[in-house]
Amino acid sequence: MFGLAQDIAAPASRKVFQQVADTLIPADQPAEFNQAIMEFGAIQCTPVKPDCLFCPLQSQCYAFQHGLISELPVKSKAKAGRTRYFHYFVLQYEDTLYMRKRGPKDIWEGLYDFALHEADSADLPARTVVDTVEALGGRIDLAQVEEPVQSLRHVLSHQKVEARFHPVKLEAPLTPKALATAGLLPYKASEIESLPKSILITNYISNIGF
C-alpha cells in the first residue's frame, strides 16, 4: 500500500511499520481495525495471489500502481538450519557422573550437560574417543570403547542437534586438576535430578535410568 521496501522479516524494520500503523489505527476502535486488517490479508490481499482486480484500495496502492505486486512486500528467506553433531562423553566412576555448566553465546546457556566433543559428522572414531577422554584426565583402553548407547535428535529454530552419547566407565575418579581443566564436577543421581538441563540431556538420563 505504502511502497515500503524494508524487509518485513528483519527486526530492525519493525519500527518503520509500527510508525505507519500508528497513524492508521483509530484510537477508539483499535480492536476492530486489527481484525479488519487480518481479514483483509486473509481474503483480499493474500501473500501469494492478492485479488488486486477487485480490490477497493487499488487506486491508493503503491504496489498496484507501479507494477510491484510481486516485489512488495520485501521478505527475506529464513536462513537454512544447520546440523550440529554433538558427541557427549558420559564419564562415570561408580555412582558418580561428571557434568559441566554450559557457557554463554551458544544454545542452552547455563544448563548442564556432559563433556562435549563437537564434530563434523555423526561418526566418531574410537581413537578420538580415547584421546578425548585422556585429554579430560580419564583413562580408557581402546578395546573398551563402546558404541554410542543412544542417539538423540533435538530441533531448534535455526539448527538441529544430532547427539551421540558415549558411555565411559572410568577406572579412577578424575583429579581436581582434571576437573578444573575440563570444567567438570562430580554429581550423584539425587544431585543431577535438581540440575537445570536441556530436554535432550533430561531425556538421556531418564532413558539410562541413572
Side-chain angles (χ1 to χ4, degrees), residues 66-202:
H66 294 81
L68 296 173
I69 295 170
S70 59
E71 281 76 29
L72 295 177
V74 176
K75 183 178 183 181
S76 60
K77 293 183 179 179
K79 294 181 180 179
R82 61 171 176 150
T83 299
R84 300 174 69 180
Y85 299 96
F86 284 9
H87 290 272
Y88 281 116
F89 295 90
V90 187
L91 306 178
Q92 181 175 356
Y93 176 71
E94 296 181 346
D95 61 345
T96 297
L97 282 182
Y98 294 90
M99 301 187 73
R100 55 151 201 166
K101 186 177 183 179
R102 292 184 62 84
K105 299 181 180 179
D106 200 358
I107 58 174
W108 304 323
E109 177 182 345
L111 302 184
Y112 285 77
D113 61 6
F114 306 104
L116 173 64
H117 174 82
E118 186 166 356
D120 295 327
S121 72
D123 299 320
L124 196 67
R127 182 73 255 174
T128 302
V129 176
V130 173
D131 291 344
T132 303
V133 172
E134 290 181 347
L136 293 170
R139 295 182 60 187
I140 183 174
D141 188 272
L142 183 61
Q144 296 178 329
V145 175
E146 302 179 33
E147 289 296 316
V149 68
Q150 274 197 51
S151 299
L152 298 177
R153 174 183 298 170
H154 192 82
V155 180
L156 301 166
S157 56
H158 295 298
Q159 55 187 289
K160 178 172 64 176
V161 175
E162 296 283 355
R164 304 291 186 271
F165 293 85
H166 303 266
V168 178
K169 297 293 180 64
L170 298 174
E171 300 173 358
L174 295 180
T175 65
K177 182 179 179 180
L179 291 174
T181 301
L184 295 167
L185 287 172
Y187 292 99
K188 304 295 185 183
S190 58
E191 297 172 317
I192 291 175
E193 187 175 353
S194 62
L195 291 176
K197 304 174 290 295
S198 69
I199 188 66
L200 183 74
I201 300 301
T202 298

Side-chain angles (χ1 to χ4, degrees), residues 43-52 69:
I43 298 175
Q44 187 77 40
C45 197
T46 55
V48 180
K49 292 182 178 180
D51 190 8
C52 298
I69 295 170

